[in-house]
Structures are given as C-alpha cells and as structure tokens.
Amino acid sequence: MRLLTIGVFARAARLSPKALRLYDELGLLTPARVDPSSGYRLYDPAQLERARLVAWLRRLGMPLARIRAVCDAGPGAAAAEVRAYWAQFESDTAARRDLVAFLIDHLSGKDTTTMTSATTTAGTRPGFAIRYAAASDTGTVRERNEDTAYAGPRLLAVADGFGGAAASATTASATAASASDTAAPSAGVSATPAADTAGTSGVTASAVAIEALRALETDDAPLGNLLNSLEEAAHRANNSVGELAASDPALHGMGTTLTALLWSGSRLALVHIGDSRAYLLRDGRFFQITHDHTLVRAMIDEGRITAEEAASHPQRALLLRALGGGGEFAPDLGVREVRAGDRYLLCSDGLSAVVGAEDIRDVVASAPAPGDAVRELIDLAVRAGGPDNVSCVVADVVEDVVEPREP
C-alpha cells in the first residue's frame, strides 16, 4: 500500500505537520516509515483513524497522556475513558462557574462586606444570619467515634477520621457540637472544647482537622479573602494530620474526610475532600452540592456501574482523595450565594450510606429547627443499623436586621 507524505497525511487528518512531529516524538502517532535519505515521515492510510481520533480529543482539551490511554484502549474502555474525562470536566466547570460569579461580584464592588452586613445611610437594612446545630453518634457497631461535627457562627464542618492502629484502638470521641439551635452572629459557638493535640490520647484525625479550621471563627478577613482563608486552613489541617501520623508509627495511615462551609454575610465558601457530604434544601429542592471522592463514584461517572450497583460494591468505602492518610490532597473549593430560607446539611457517610436520599430530604424539609433535623437524621441512621459513626450539621439561613452603629 502506498504511504502518504506528512503533508498529505496532515491534511487528511486535519492536523498540522508540526503536531504530527510532536506526536511522533511522544510515541502517540509514530510514522509507518521514515525515509533514510531525506528523513521524511511517511504514514500508512490505515493510521488516519487514530490520527483523527487524536485530533477530536485534542479539540476537547484532553491532555496528551490521557489521549494515549484512549487510543491504546479497546472500543469499550476508550468510550469509558472519554466519559470519565468529560464527567470530571463538567464537575470542574461547575466549580469554576461558581468562582467566576463570585469574582465578578467581588471585583465589581458588589461584595465589600465582612461577615456582618453593612448599614445604609437610611438606617437598618435586612441581612442574613444562620441558625445551626450539630451532633455526632458512635452508632451501634463501632466501639469509638472517630467523626467530628462542628457548628459555629462562621464555620460548619464534618470530618470522618480513619486509619492508624493507635487512633482506632485507643482514642475516644473528640466530636461534636451540641444539638441546640443557635442564632449567629450574636450567639456563642455550640461546641465541645478543642481536642488535645499535644499527644495521641483522645485525638482523632478528624478532631485535629477541625481544630485547624476553628481559627476561622475569629478571622475577620474581608469577603474577597474568604476562599483563600478556607483553602489555607485546609492545608494547615492536612499538615497537622500528617505531622500527627508521622509522630507515631502506630498512627501511620491516619487520615480524614473534610467537608466545611465558611460563612460571610451573603456567601458560603466550601472546601470538600473525601465522601462526607454537603446538601442544600432551597425552594423545596434538595440536592447534593459536593462530589464524592470515591472509587465507586468514579466508576459511576465512567459508566462502569450504576448507582444501585455502587450501594453494594465491595469497595464502596475506598477513598480516592482524603486529608492525610498518604493519599492525594486535592480538595474541591467553591463559593455559594446564600438566600433566606436555605437549609444546609453536612454529614458523614454514616448517614448517607445507610439512609436513602429521599428519607434524608423528608427530614431536612420537615424538621422545624436545625436541632430537630440533626436528632431525627441520627435516629434514622441508628434505626437503619448504625454500622458506622454518624455526624450531622444543619444550618438555616435567616433574615437578620443589622442595626446602625453609633458614629
């Protein structure tokens, strides 16, 4: 069969000769023959299908290393790889869309307040406040609780600790704000004292992580620094857990999930890693606003299994990302605009893994106050067998009138 010169092949494949030379150097699209005298690259017409696939995938923005995996896979596996890439792209795009909206408002001067809404020259005007509750339960199977749930005027957080022989064998629960309903910003934090991070006794990875974030309660950073503050605190939390794990061989592998919301007037900044979750009830609609970093979630996104199959998958608890634990630390970050009437739920997988989404929604939608919702949700998980520790934080966004300050 007659071979094609690089120029003819490039036109047929709708690729440039420069791109073909690069793909040759990377081993992605090797010529059928290189002329020993002229050095010209010659291609077999049968290579056009692979070349066109490369061109299509490049138009999607897929990295070259991932393109090689698609091209080398069989048809079914290649389709799954493209589906997984696009699912991740859409997830990243959604997070960036929220960040773009935040930046536009911030840079146009719409967001210039700190946590408390500013007053106008006319006197008072409505702002927002939150009412919150948090609680954690060991469940019916586990001997100790390695979850931590926290709720305060600015910070809402849930973390689910794991790993480390000493942590699992000797630590007590360092969890949980109380389940009383508290109005912010005027009321105090409804939380237990900070965990003792000086030694391993009484310390879990989840408590260490939450403690690293608690400084945000008193941080009066302006709204423009909201996301930066939360991201920096998450990195401090990751370092703290890593240092604790390195301090004792028995704690090797210790880690935790982390899902947290930082409140600032009309916005909530979100940091999330692992399989704890955040949900939002708004105008009667209930939806998950975080993405599970688990093997089964990735398999669902790739179309390899269904959501129903994931519920009984033997590796359903396997995390792809976590804080500490030696895994990848790549948290999701985002900013959300709040509305009066919003109700947020943060929970560990001790709830979401055993109680269906519809049942969770029914409780979140019907409970008269955050404390009622927290208690009912934990009761649901315990009645479903309580195989894991379960933690919940519920917060309501309410209208608040900000009084003018004395001159």
Side-chain angles (χ1 to χ4, degrees):
M1 183 178 290
R2 183 180 178 183
L3 300 180
L4 306 178
T5 64
I6 189 171
V8 173
F9 188 80
R11 287 192 293 274
R14 298 190 177 182
L15 290 167
S16 68
K18 181 179 179 180
L20 287 173
R21 286 191 286 271
L22 173 62
Y23 299 158
D24 178 17
E25 293 171 5
L26 296 175
L28 182 60
L29 194 61
T30 304
R33 179 171 173 266
V34 177
D35 187 280
S37 302
S38 64
Y40 286 166
R41 293 172 171 85
L42 302 171
Y43 293 84
D44 193 314
Q47 293 180 282
L48 279 171
E49 183 176 357
R50 182 182 177 103
R52 287 167 180 157
L53 176 59
V54 171
W56 291 334
L57 295 174
R58 286 298 289 162
R59 290 190 187 102
L60 290 179
M62 185 178 287
L64 290 173
R66 197 156 186 174
I67 288 176
R68 182 185 292 110
V70 172
C71 291
D72 292 343
E81 184 68 22
V82 173
R83 187 182 297 112
Y85 168 76
W86 195 249
Q88 184 61 52
F89 175 84
E90 290 184 322
S91 176
D92 292 344
T93 299
R96 290 172 186 170
R97 188 184 300 116
D98 290 341
L99 183 56
V100 166
F102 163 69
L103 289 173
I104 289 172
D105 285 351
H106 174 62
L107 295 174
S108 63
K110 292 181 180 179
D111 285 323
T112 57
T113 64
T114 55
M115 189 191 81
T116 303
S117 300
T119 60
T120 66
T121 56
T124 63
R125 68 177 176 84
F128 296 111
I130 55 172
R131 294 182 62 84
Y132 50 82
S136 186
D137 191 275
T138 304
T140 62
V141 175
R142 301 291 179 90
E143 292 185 1
R144 292 175 175 84
N145 194 343
E146 291 189 330
D147 281 5
T148 300
Y150 179 87
R154 295 200 69 195
L155 179 68
L156 312 169
V158 164
D160 181 357
F162 62 84
S168 60
T170 65
T171 61
S173 169
T175 61
S178 74
S180 61
D181 300 313
T182 309
S186 59
V189 180
S190 57
T192 53
D196 173 18
T197 57
T200 60
S201 178
V203 176
T204 66
S206 63
V208 171
I210 297 299
E211 180 62 21
L213 266 64
R214 284 186 61 178
L216 297 173
E217 286 282 18
T218 56
D219 184 1
D220 239 354
L223 183 57
N225 292 333
L226 183 68
L227 198 59
N228 289 340
S229 297
L230 190 57
E231 182 179 18
E232 290 168 4
H235 279 278
R236 289 196 300 271
N238 187 57
N239 292 338
S240 296
V241 173
E243 290 169 4
L244 179 63
S247 69
D248 185 343
L251 298 180
H252 180 71
M254 167 186 279
T256 184
T257 69
L258 178 65
T259 302
L261 292 169
L262 181 62
W263 164 263
S264 183
S266 63
R267 300 278 184 174
L268 281 171
L270 167 72
V271 64
H272 166 72
I273 188 165
D275 63 352
S276 294
R277 292 181 177 181
Y279 295 90
L280 170 61
L281 178 72
R282 172 177 287 175
D283 298 329
R285 296 181 59 231
F286 183 69
F287 45 94
Q288 185 178 339
I289 60 174
T290 52
H291 188 83
D292 296 348
H293 300 140
T294 60
L295 175 64
V296 293
R297 182 68 255 179
M299 295 171 72
I300 292 171
D301 293 342
E302 294 166 10
R304 294 162 59 188
I305 61 174
T306 65
E308 291 73 20
E309 291 170 331
S312 58
H313 195 280
Q315 293 179 304
R316 59 188 177 277
L318 183 61
L319 294 173
L320 298 182
R321 295 191 226 169
L323 189 150
E328 179 187 8
F329 181 67
D332 293 339
L333 295 160
V335 178
R336 305 191 65 85
E337 184 176 1
V338 300
R339 299 180 190 173
D342 285 351
R343 174 170 282 185
Y344 287 87
L345 164 66
L346 278 62
C347 66
S348 64
D349 69 333
L351 175 69
S352 58
V354 298
V355 179
E358 284 301 313
D359 292 332
I360 294 175
R361 183 210 173 279
D362 289 344
V363 171
V364 173
S366 63
D372 299 307
V374 164
R375 285 186 288 268
E376 291 182 38
L377 290 168
I378 289 179
D379 286 346
L380 273 182
V382 171
R383 290 200 302 270
D388 197 358
N389 310 146
V390 55
S391 295
C392 298
V393 174
V394 175
D396 289 348
V397 179
V398 297
E399 288 188 354
D400 185 38
V401 175
V402 181
E403 299 292 339
R405 295 181 179 179
E406 293 294 331

